Amino acid sequence: MVSRVAWARVVVGGEVAGEIGPGLLVLVGVAEGDGGAEAGWLADKVATLRVFDDEAGRMNRSLADAGGGALVVSQFTLYGDARRGRRPSYLAAARPERAAPLVDAVAAALAAAGVPVAQGRFGAHMRVESAGDGPVTVLLDSEKGF
């Protein structure tokens, strides 16, 4: 899930682990079966997604065009399935040892594309703070994107 923000930061243990000014807050959920291709697809989509206003006020500019940053935060709870019962099941989420390198791969690919990147801390209890800009929030699903 990607949200356009005026600013965003992640606080871990009372310290700022990562922060950006205007840009995109990128919550990355990794599913069982995801790999490098999905991480690359997501990074490319985030870098080129046209959700920033142009001179006419239309969402026609990408993160690269707008000169914004990306705050990449792992979020396994995106795969919470609450269709049955009261407690979500996270069986569809990848195990941490598989997910952590893929979240890092998304951040690295964004940086390689010239986007300033900050990250949360994988596996830590994080307080994610942001000021939504719009609000503009888009769900990006590599399963539906290929």
Side-chain angles (χ1 to χ4, degrees):
M1 184 160 4
V2 178
S3 291
R4 188 175 74 186
V5 296
W7 60 268
R9 69 181 182 171
V10 173
V11 178
V12 178
E15 296 182 11
V16 175
E19 68 182 317
I20 61 168
L24 295 174
L25 172 58
V26 184
L27 302 178
V28 180
V30 179
E32 266 312 312
D34 282 351
E38 287 80 6
W41 176 88
L42 179 60
D44 179 63
K45 186 62 84 168
V46 168
T48 59
L49 191 65
R50 296 183 336 182
V51 293
F52 293 91
D53 292 346
D54 62 15
E55 300 76 25
R58 295 184 57 201
M59 285 195 285
N60 203 25
R61 296 173 65 205
S62 70
L63 187 59
D65 297 334
L71 177 58
V72 177
V73 179
S74 63
Q75 186 89 32
F76 79 93
T77 60
L78 288 172
Y79 280 98
D81 183 351
R83 290 178 291 180
R84 293 185 182 177
R86 302 276 186 247
R87 184 180 350 191
S89 168
Y90 299 104
L91 293 175
R95 302 283 311 150
E97 58 275 6
R98 177 143 178 86
L102 292 175
V103 173
D104 288 342
V106 170
L110 281 166
V115 174
V117 175
Q119 285 186 259
R121 194 170 300 149
F122 192 94
H125 180 85
M126 296 178 275
R127 188 174 73 220
V128 181
E129 303 172 342
S130 66
D133 182 19
V136 175
T137 301
V138 178
L139 178 62
L140 301 175
D141 187 347
S142 64
E143 186 175 306
K144 296 176 183 172
F146 285 112

